[in-house]
Amino acid sequence: MFERYKVTDWVLNGLIFCIGAAEAVHLVCLFGGRTVGFGSSLFMVLAAFCVLLTVVASLFAGKRRTEAKRRAGFGDRTEKLLLAAFLCLVLLQLLFPLLQGSRCLDGDMTVETVVSFLQTDGIYRVNPMTGAAYSVGLPMRIKVLGLPSLYTFLCRTFGCAPDVFVWYIVPAAVCLFTYCGFAGLAHGLFPEDRKRRLLFLVLVSLLIFCGSYRFGMDGFGLLFCGWRAVTIRNLILLPYTLSLCLRKRYPETVLCVLAEACITWTFYGLGMCAAMTVLFFAVDCARSHFERRRREC
Amino acid sequence: MLKLLQTAWTGWRDFTTAGKLPALLLALLLFVWFRSRKERETKTFLLYTTVTTALCILPFTAAFLMLYQTRFYDYEWIWSLVPMTAMIGFGGVLLIEDCSRMLRGKRAWVRGAFLAALCGILVICSGFGLGSSGFSDEAAQRAQAHDIYTYLEEAIPGRHYRIWAPKEILAYSRVGWADCDPLYGRNLWDRHLNAYTYDTYPEELEQLELWIDGDLERGDWTDERCAEYLAGTDVTCIVLPVRLEGAVGTFEEVLGITASPQGEYYIMIR
């Protein structure tokens, strides 16, 4: 089964494992009354294991791919040109938060939440908006989401300021993971043609800029609110789910469904990744059925 | 002339913003469906994109999807199901290939120029992320807030304080570089944030927010009423914008403090 895994698959699985680890530690801290300091140490141990696993698996997958690439040759001038254009556009997007400077904070309180976790050394001990104790409380569906804790553990471990980490470092990381997701998708759409895959990635990176005009578009999410859970879902988890569906690896989409449930408010855990898998499977079955019937006729 | 050029640029930017990607998606879906050569493995992808696009456009199915995604999210989020970026990228690759095939036999520079022109259209439509002008003043607001908090930290070093200020200042009170708590949080004016808490604010705080943020049609509190209410709270720092300069005297009198001008604001520390 693992032979079919590519480097991008392992990188994204590594991210999903880290989200899972953060969620587990978040729940331990929340319901076990543990401190952020304890949570950070526990998370870093789990995350180190996940990263190690990912790196080793990626190296194996990369070695296999490199041998295949060596046989296929490095690529012609067009491929090199496309690769250079793609890398330039990605670099521009990585630097975008620094160059542009503005971001969309409407309906988002991630930085405030991370600050409150670090200040109180605990999870949801005060209202992040006011810094005062809650008088009534907050919905359980928000309480169990682990993304702010993931950022808090990393801020605490690396001693980074919450605003710098959330507004500058996370969007850059999300940008890289996004292109891992789209690279996986390109493999699903054009399995045998590297030139087409590169052209696809160049077009996607241009479309990210094109789609920055409106809240809710992929480009806007990546360039103006790259730290939000919905951005991670739309730009990393959903493309990965789609690439798995294209390769008919439906059971493995469970990882994406679980990761989405850990970070975004879903319909009792049944978020967009689950809906995408079910719909894609239904469409695939219907298409196969009709093609079979047409052949029989 | 410079203004004319600026208007021409922003005019083009506004002209090419709203709704361009859904339109491109529908156009490319049509193109790929009516294209004679279809790869077997991508047929399901095409069918899936078409079905989900239809589900998001038809009102009944869109309403069902909105229920499924929970009321926490607005309409635009049901479009997450549609792989719009991927489909446009995929359609774009096929379109470029077909065009290149048509140009087969022409010189290399003609083919290159054609490809560059196609990508150029995307580039000039993209605006390189500068199309979202609604958020371009966020950085300036943050810088302004930073100046105020830096001034306060120098004026009252090492002291934790409670602040009341206009929303452009108060919005940054909890982002990490100020040792203070706001009188009310951002969720008082950004209603989407109320989904994160069951706590509510008293009517008086809503009136204070209406007064200081200049929504005079809705707010009905006078300067005296605001100052008297603040006298009964634990607010230690008040920041008033210069447009409320007329109220500064009342605040000084009722609260017994002195205001000092700081840029576009008056700062009062109790």
Side-chain angles (χ1 to χ4, degrees), chain A residues 89 92-93 96 99-100 205-214 219-220 223-224, chain B residues 8-18 20-21 119-133 136:
Chain A
L89 287 163
L92 206 56
Q93 285 166 15
F96 191 83
L99 298 173
Q100 216 279 342
S205 53
L206 278 173
L207 287 166
I208 290 294
F209 280 120
C210 284
S212 64
Y213 61 87
R214 190 186 188 282
F220 188 92
L223 300 179
F224 289 96
Chain B
W9 166 243
T10 52
W12 162 254
R13 206 178 59 186
D14 295 343
F15 193 62
T16 54
T17 49
K20 65 187 171 193
L21 285 196
C119 290
I121 291 171
L122 271 184
V123 169
I124 56 173
C125 282
S126 75
F128 279 102
L130 302 173
S132 306
S133 51
S136 57

Short mmCIF file of all heavy atoms in Angstrom, two decimals, chain A residues 89 92-93 96 99-100 205-214 219-220 223-224, chain B residues 8-18 20-21 119-133 136:
data_model
loop_
_atom_site.label_atom_id
_atom_site.label_comp_id
_atom_site.label_asym_id
_atom_site.label_seq_id
_atom_site.Cartn_x
_atom_site.Cartn_y
_atom_site.Cartn_z
N LEU A 89 6.54 32.43 -8.54
CA LEU A 89 5.20 32.78 -8.05
C LEU A 89 5.01 32.32 -6.61
O LEU A 89 4.42 33.03 -5.78
CB LEU A 89 4.14 32.16 -8.96
CG LEU A 89 4.00 32.84 -10.33
CD1 LEU A 89 3.25 31.95 -11.30
CD2 LEU A 89 3.27 34.17 -10.18
N LEU A 92 6.83 34.64 -4.30
CA LEU A 92 6.07 35.89 -4.15
C LEU A 92 4.93 35.71 -3.14
O LEU A 92 4.66 36.59 -2.31
CB LEU A 92 5.50 36.28 -5.52
CG LEU A 92 5.21 37.75 -5.77
CD1 LEU A 92 6.45 38.58 -5.56
CD2 LEU A 92 4.69 37.95 -7.19
N GLN A 93 4.30 34.55 -3.20
CA GLN A 93 3.19 34.28 -2.25
C GLN A 93 3.70 34.04 -0.84
O GLN A 93 3.03 34.38 0.13
CB GLN A 93 2.37 33.10 -2.74
CG GLN A 93 1.48 33.49 -3.91
CD GLN A 93 0.89 32.32 -4.64
OE1 GLN A 93 0.89 31.20 -4.16
NE2 GLN A 93 0.39 32.58 -5.83
N PHE A 96 4.28 37.37 0.52
CA PHE A 96 3.13 38.27 0.41
C PHE A 96 2.73 38.93 1.74
O PHE A 96 2.52 40.14 1.78
CB PHE A 96 1.94 37.53 -0.20
CG PHE A 96 0.81 38.43 -0.58
CD1 PHE A 96 0.81 39.11 -1.80
CD2 PHE A 96 -0.24 38.67 0.29
CE1 PHE A 96 -0.22 39.96 -2.14
CE2 PHE A 96 -1.28 39.51 -0.05
CZ PHE A 96 -1.27 40.16 -1.27
N LEU A 99 5.18 41.68 2.30
CA LEU A 99 5.15 42.76 1.30
C LEU A 99 3.87 43.57 1.37
O LEU A 99 3.87 44.79 1.27
CB LEU A 99 5.30 42.17 -0.11
CG LEU A 99 6.60 41.42 -0.40
CD1 LEU A 99 6.54 40.75 -1.76
CD2 LEU A 99 7.78 42.38 -0.36
N GLN A 100 2.73 42.87 1.54
CA GLN A 100 1.45 43.56 1.49
C GLN A 100 1.11 44.18 2.85
O GLN A 100 0.62 45.30 2.91
CB GLN A 100 0.36 42.58 1.04
CG GLN A 100 -0.72 43.19 0.16
CD GLN A 100 -1.78 43.93 0.95
OE1 GLN A 100 -1.90 43.72 2.14
NE2 GLN A 100 -2.54 44.77 0.29
N SER A 205 -0.94 28.66 -9.32
CA SER A 205 -0.32 29.75 -8.57
C SER A 205 -0.77 31.12 -9.10
O SER A 205 -0.90 32.07 -8.31
CB SER A 205 1.20 29.63 -8.57
OG SER A 205 1.67 29.52 -9.89
N LEU A 206 -1.05 31.20 -10.40
CA LEU A 206 -1.60 32.45 -10.94
C LEU A 206 -3.05 32.64 -10.46
O LEU A 206 -3.47 33.76 -10.14
CB LEU A 206 -1.58 32.43 -12.47
CG LEU A 206 -0.25 32.78 -13.14
CD1 LEU A 206 -0.35 32.56 -14.64
CD2 LEU A 206 0.11 34.24 -12.86
N LEU A 207 -3.79 31.53 -10.41
CA LEU A 207 -5.20 31.61 -9.97
C LEU A 207 -5.32 32.01 -8.51
O LEU A 207 -6.32 32.59 -8.10
CB LEU A 207 -5.90 30.27 -10.21
CG LEU A 207 -6.20 29.96 -11.67
CD1 LEU A 207 -6.57 28.49 -11.86
CD2 LEU A 207 -7.33 30.85 -12.18
N ILE A 208 -4.29 31.69 -7.74
CA ILE A 208 -4.30 32.11 -6.32
C ILE A 208 -4.31 33.65 -6.27
O ILE A 208 -5.05 34.25 -5.49
CB ILE A 208 -3.08 31.52 -5.56
CG1 ILE A 208 -3.24 30.01 -5.39
CG2 ILE A 208 -2.88 32.21 -4.21
CD1 ILE A 208 -4.36 29.54 -4.51
N PHE A 209 -3.51 34.27 -7.12
CA PHE A 209 -3.52 35.74 -7.18
C PHE A 209 -4.86 36.25 -7.72
O PHE A 209 -5.42 37.22 -7.21
CB PHE A 209 -2.38 36.26 -8.05
CG PHE A 209 -1.06 36.29 -7.36
CD1 PHE A 209 0.01 35.57 -7.83
CD2 PHE A 209 -0.88 37.05 -6.22
CE1 PHE A 209 1.23 35.60 -7.19
CE2 PHE A 209 0.34 37.09 -5.56
CZ PHE A 209 1.40 36.36 -6.05
N CYS A 210 -5.36 35.56 -8.76
CA CYS A 210 -6.65 35.98 -9.36
C CYS A 210 -7.79 35.88 -8.34
O CYS A 210 -8.71 36.68 -8.35
CB CYS A 210 -7.01 35.07 -10.53
SG CYS A 210 -6.09 35.43 -11.98
N GLY A 211 -7.72 34.87 -7.48
CA GLY A 211 -8.82 34.63 -6.53
C GLY A 211 -8.68 35.38 -5.23
O GLY A 211 -9.31 35.04 -4.23
N SER A 212 -7.85 36.43 -5.23
CA SER A 212 -7.65 37.15 -3.97
C SER A 212 -8.61 38.31 -3.82
O SER A 212 -8.45 39.16 -2.96
CB SER A 212 -6.20 37.66 -3.89
OG SER A 212 -5.99 38.58 -4.92
N TYR A 213 -9.62 38.37 -4.71
CA TYR A 213 -10.47 39.56 -4.73
C TYR A 213 -11.62 39.50 -3.75
O TYR A 213 -12.24 40.50 -3.47
CB TYR A 213 -11.02 39.80 -6.14
CG TYR A 213 -11.89 38.68 -6.69
CD1 TYR A 213 -13.25 38.65 -6.43
CD2 TYR A 213 -11.35 37.67 -7.47
CE1 TYR A 213 -14.05 37.64 -6.94
CE2 TYR A 213 -12.14 36.67 -7.99
CZ TYR A 213 -13.48 36.65 -7.72
OH TYR A 213 -14.27 35.64 -8.21
N ARG A 214 -11.92 38.30 -3.22
CA ARG A 214 -13.14 38.21 -2.42
C ARG A 214 -12.97 37.19 -1.29
O ARG A 214 -12.35 36.14 -1.49
CB ARG A 214 -14.29 37.75 -3.33
CG ARG A 214 -15.65 37.85 -2.70
CD ARG A 214 -16.71 37.25 -3.60
NE ARG A 214 -18.04 37.52 -3.09
CZ ARG A 214 -18.59 36.86 -2.10
NH1 ARG A 214 -17.93 35.89 -1.48
NH2 ARG A 214 -19.81 37.17 -1.69
N GLY A 219 -7.67 32.10 -3.20
CA GLY A 219 -6.57 33.07 -3.22
C GLY A 219 -6.64 34.02 -2.04
O GLY A 219 -5.63 34.32 -1.40
N PHE A 220 -7.85 34.46 -1.75
CA PHE A 220 -8.02 35.38 -0.61
C PHE A 220 -7.60 34.69 0.69
O PHE A 220 -6.92 35.27 1.53
CB PHE A 220 -9.48 35.84 -0.53
CG PHE A 220 -9.70 36.93 0.47
CD1 PHE A 220 -9.63 38.25 0.10
CD2 PHE A 220 -9.94 36.63 1.80
CE1 PHE A 220 -9.81 39.26 1.02
CE2 PHE A 220 -10.11 37.63 2.74
CZ PHE A 220 -10.05 38.95 2.35
N LEU A 223 -3.71 34.40 0.80
CA LEU A 223 -2.95 35.65 0.86
C LEU A 223 -3.34 36.55 2.02
O LEU A 223 -2.53 37.32 2.51
CB LEU A 223 -3.09 36.42 -0.46
CG LEU A 223 -2.59 35.69 -1.71
CD1 LEU A 223 -2.82 36.54 -2.94
CD2 LEU A 223 -1.13 35.33 -1.58
N PHE A 224 -4.59 36.48 2.47
CA PHE A 224 -5.04 37.42 3.50
C PHE A 224 -5.39 36.77 4.84
O PHE A 224 -5.52 37.48 5.83
CB PHE A 224 -6.22 38.25 3.00
CG PHE A 224 -5.84 39.24 1.95
CD1 PHE A 224 -5.98 38.93 0.61
CD2 PHE A 224 -5.29 40.46 2.29
CE1 PHE A 224 -5.60 39.83 -0.38
CE2 PHE A 224 -4.91 41.37 1.31
CZ PHE A 224 -5.06 41.06 -0.02
N ALA B 8 -7.53 55.12 -13.65
CA ALA B 8 -7.53 54.11 -14.70
C ALA B 8 -7.13 52.75 -14.15
O ALA B 8 -7.73 51.73 -14.48
CB ALA B 8 -6.57 54.53 -15.81
N TRP B 9 -6.12 52.74 -13.25
CA TRP B 9 -5.66 51.48 -12.67
C TRP B 9 -6.72 50.88 -11.75
O TRP B 9 -7.07 49.71 -11.86
CB TRP B 9 -4.34 51.70 -11.93
CG TRP B 9 -3.96 50.55 -11.03
CD1 TRP B 9 -3.83 50.57 -9.67
CD2 TRP B 9 -3.69 49.20 -11.42
NE1 TRP B 9 -3.49 49.33 -9.20
CE2 TRP B 9 -3.40 48.46 -10.26
CE3 TRP B 9 -3.67 48.52 -12.65
CZ2 TRP B 9 -3.09 47.10 -10.27
CZ3 TRP B 9 -3.37 47.16 -12.67
CH2 TRP B 9 -3.07 46.48 -11.49
N THR B 10 -7.27 51.71 -10.84
CA THR B 10 -8.27 51.17 -9.91
C THR B 10 -9.55 50.80 -10.66
O THR B 10 -10.24 49.86 -10.28
CB THR B 10 -8.60 52.16 -8.77
OG1 THR B 10 -8.92 53.42 -9.38
CG2 THR B 10 -7.48 52.33 -7.80
N GLY B 11 -9.84 51.55 -11.73
CA GLY B 11 -11.02 51.23 -12.54
C GLY B 11 -10.89 49.86 -13.16
O GLY B 11 -11.81 49.05 -13.10
N TRP B 12 -9.72 49.58 -13.73
CA TRP B 12 -9.47 48.27 -14.32
C TRP B 12 -9.56 47.18 -13.24
O TRP B 12 -10.15 46.13 -13.44
CB TRP B 12 -8.08 48.25 -14.99
CG TRP B 12 -7.58 46.86 -15.24
CD1 TRP B 12 -6.60 46.20 -14.57
CD2 TRP B 12 -8.07 45.94 -16.23
NE1 TRP B 12 -6.44 44.95 -15.06
CE2 TRP B 12 -7.33 44.75 -16.09
CE3 TRP B 12 -9.06 46.00 -17.22
CZ2 TRP B 12 -7.53 43.64 -16.89
CZ3 TRP B 12 -9.27 44.89 -18.02
CH2 TRP B 12 -8.51 43.72 -17.86
N ARG B 13 -8.96 47.46 -12.08
CA ARG B 13 -8.94 46.50 -10.98
C ARG B 13 -10.37 46.19 -10.53
O ARG B 13 -10.73 45.02 -10.38
CB ARG B 13 -8.15 47.11 -9.80
CG ARG B 13 -7.53 46.09 -8.91
CD ARG B 13 -6.74 46.76 -7.84
NE ARG B 13 -7.57 47.65 -7.04
CZ ARG B 13 -7.11 48.45 -6.09
NH1 ARG B 13 -5.83 48.51 -5.86
NH2 ARG B 13 -7.92 49.22 -5.39
N ASP B 14 -11.19 47.21 -10.38
CA ASP B 14 -12.58 46.99 -9.95
C ASP B 14 -13.37 46.28 -11.04
O ASP B 14 -14.25 45.47 -10.76
CB ASP B 14 -13.26 48.33 -9.61
CG ASP B 14 -12.60 49.00 -8.42
OD1 ASP B 14 -11.87 48.29 -7.69
OD2 ASP B 14 -12.79 50.22 -8.23
N PHE B 15 -13.04 46.63 -12.29
CA PHE B 15 -13.76 46.06 -13.43
C PHE B 15 -13.52 44.56 -13.55
O PHE B 15 -14.35 43.82 -14.05
CB PHE B 15 -13.28 46.78 -14.69
CG PHE B 15 -14.15 46.54 -15.89
CD1 PHE B 15 -15.48 46.92 -15.89
CD2 PHE B 15 -13.63 45.93 -17.02
CE1 PHE B 15 -16.27 46.70 -17.01
CE2 PHE B 15 -14.42 45.71 -18.13
CZ PHE B 15 -15.75 46.09 -18.12
N THR B 16 -12.33 44.12 -13.09
CA THR B 16 -11.98 42.70 -13.27
C THR B 16 -12.05 41.91 -11.96
O THR B 16 -11.45 40.85 -11.85
CB THR B 16 -10.55 42.57 -13.82
OG1 THR B 16 -9.69 43.30 -12.95
CG2 THR B 16 -10.42 43.06 -15.23
N THR B 17 -12.76 42.39 -10.99
CA THR B 17 -12.76 41.65 -9.72
C THR B 17 -13.96 40.71 -9.60
O THR B 17 -13.88 39.55 -9.98
CB THR B 17 -12.70 42.59 -8.50
OG1 THR B 17 -13.69 43.58 -8.68
CG2 THR B 17 -11.36 43.21 -8.34
N ALA B 18 -15.09 41.21 -9.16
CA ALA B 18 -16.18 40.35 -8.69
C ALA B 18 -16.61 39.30 -9.70
O ALA B 18 -16.91 39.60 -10.84
CB ALA B 18 -17.36 41.22 -8.30
N LYS B 20 -15.18 36.85 -11.32
CA LYS B 20 -14.49 36.41 -12.54
C LYS B 20 -14.16 34.92 -12.51
O LYS B 20 -14.22 34.26 -13.54
CB LYS B 20 -13.24 37.25 -12.79
CG LYS B 20 -12.15 37.12 -11.76
CD LYS B 20 -11.05 38.10 -12.01
CE LYS B 20 -10.09 38.11 -10.84
NZ LYS B 20 -9.19 39.24 -10.90
N LEU B 21 -13.83 34.38 -11.34
CA LEU B 21 -13.44 32.98 -11.32
C LEU B 21 -14.62 32.02 -11.52
O LEU B 21 -14.49 31.06 -12.27
CB LEU B 21 -12.67 32.65 -10.04
CG LEU B 21 -11.22 33.15 -10.00
CD1 LEU B 21 -10.43 32.46 -8.90
CD2 LEU B 21 -10.50 32.95 -11.32
N CYS B 119 -0.95 33.50 -20.40
CA CYS B 119 -0.60 33.67 -18.97
C CYS B 119 -0.69 35.15 -18.59
O CYS B 119 -1.08 35.48 -17.47
CB CYS B 119 0.80 33.14 -18.69
SG CYS B 119 0.89 31.36 -18.79
N GLY B 120 -0.34 36.02 -19.54
CA GLY B 120 -0.40 37.46 -19.28
C GLY B 120 -1.81 37.92 -18.96
O GLY B 120 -2.01 38.79 -18.10
N ILE B 121 -2.79 37.32 -19.66
CA ILE B 121 -4.19 37.67 -19.39
C ILE B 121 -4.52 37.35 -17.93
O ILE B 121 -5.13 38.15 -17.22
CB ILE B 121 -5.14 36.92 -20.35
CG1 ILE B 121 -4.95 37.48 -21.77
CG2 ILE B 121 -6.59 37.05 -19.92
CD1 ILE B 121 -5.66 36.69 -22.85
N LEU B 122 -4.08 36.17 -17.49
CA LEU B 122 -4.32 35.78 -16.09
C LEU B 122 -3.61 36.75 -15.14
O LEU B 122 -4.16 37.14 -14.12
CB LEU B 122 -3.83 34.37 -15.84
CG LEU B 122 -4.81 33.22 -16.08
CD1 LEU B 122 -4.18 31.90 -15.70
CD2 LEU B 122 -6.08 33.41 -15.26
N VAL B 123 -2.37 37.11 -15.52
CA VAL B 123 -1.58 38.00 -14.63
C VAL B 123 -2.25 39.36 -14.49
O VAL B 123 -2.43 39.86 -13.37
CB VAL B 123 -0.14 38.17 -15.18
CG1 VAL B 123 0.59 39.27 -14.43
CG2 VAL B 123 0.63 36.87 -15.03
N ILE B 124 -2.70 39.94 -15.61
CA ILE B 124 -3.28 41.29 -15.48
C ILE B 124 -4.67 41.23 -14.84
O ILE B 124 -5.13 42.21 -14.29
CB ILE B 124 -3.32 42.09 -16.81
CG1 ILE B 124 -4.07 41.32 -17.88
CG2 ILE B 124 -1.94 42.48 -17.26
CD1 ILE B 124 -4.28 42.12 -19.15
N CYS B 125 -5.32 40.07 -14.91
CA CYS B 125 -6.61 39.94 -14.20
C CYS B 125 -6.38 39.71 -12.71
O CYS B 125 -7.26 39.95 -11.90
CB CYS B 125 -7.41 38.77 -14.76
SG CYS B 125 -8.21 39.18 -16.29
N SER B 126 -5.19 39.19 -12.36
CA SER B 126 -4.97 38.83 -10.95
C SER B 126 -4.74 40.06 -10.09
O SER B 126 -5.19 40.09 -8.94
CB SER B 126 -3.76 37.90 -10.83
OG SER B 126 -2.57 38.63 -10.99
N GLY B 127 -4.07 41.07 -10.63
CA GLY B 127 -3.75 42.25 -9.81
C GLY B 127 -2.76 41.93 -8.71
O GLY B 127 -2.52 42.72 -7.82
N PHE B 128 -2.18 40.73 -8.76
CA PHE B 128 -1.21 40.26 -7.75
C PHE B 128 -1.66 40.50 -6.31
O PHE B 128 -0.91 40.96 -5.47
CB PHE B 128 0.17 40.87 -8.01
CG PHE B 128 0.90 40.10 -9.07
CD1 PHE B 128 0.98 40.59 -10.35
CD2 PHE B 128 1.45 38.87 -8.81
CE1 PHE B 128 1.62 39.87 -11.35
CE2 PHE B 128 2.08 38.14 -9.80
CZ PHE B 128 2.17 38.64 -11.07
N GLY B 129 -2.91 40.19 -6.06
CA GLY B 129 -3.41 40.24 -4.69
C GLY B 129 -3.71 41.63 -4.19
O GLY B 129 -4.01 41.81 -3.01
N LEU B 130 -3.62 42.62 -5.07
CA LEU B 130 -3.86 43.99 -4.61
C LEU B 130 -5.31 44.41 -4.83
O LEU B 130 -5.69 45.52 -4.53
CB LEU B 130 -2.92 44.96 -5.34
CG LEU B 130 -1.44 44.65 -5.16
CD1 LEU B 130 -0.60 45.55 -6.04
CD2 LEU B 130 -1.03 44.81 -3.72
N GLY B 131 -6.12 43.46 -5.34
CA GLY B 131 -7.52 43.78 -5.62
C GLY B 131 -8.38 43.94 -4.38
O GLY B 131 -9.43 44.56 -4.43
N SER B 132 -7.94 43.37 -3.26
CA SER B 132 -8.75 43.42 -2.05
C SER B 132 -8.51 44.72 -1.31
O SER B 132 -7.92 44.75 -0.23
CB SER B 132 -8.42 42.25 -1.16
OG SER B 132 -8.56 41.08 -1.89
N SER B 133 -8.93 45.81 -1.90
CA SER B 133 -8.64 47.11 -1.33
C SER B 133 -9.34 47.34 0.01
O SER B 133 -8.94 48.19 0.78
CB SER B 133 -9.03 48.20 -2.32
OG SER B 133 -10.35 47.99 -2.75
N SER B 136 -6.78 46.97 2.71
CA SER B 136 -5.46 47.59 2.56
C SER B 136 -5.14 48.55 3.69
O SER B 136 -3.98 48.87 3.91
CB SER B 136 -5.37 48.29 1.21
OG SER B 136 -6.41 49.23 1.10
#
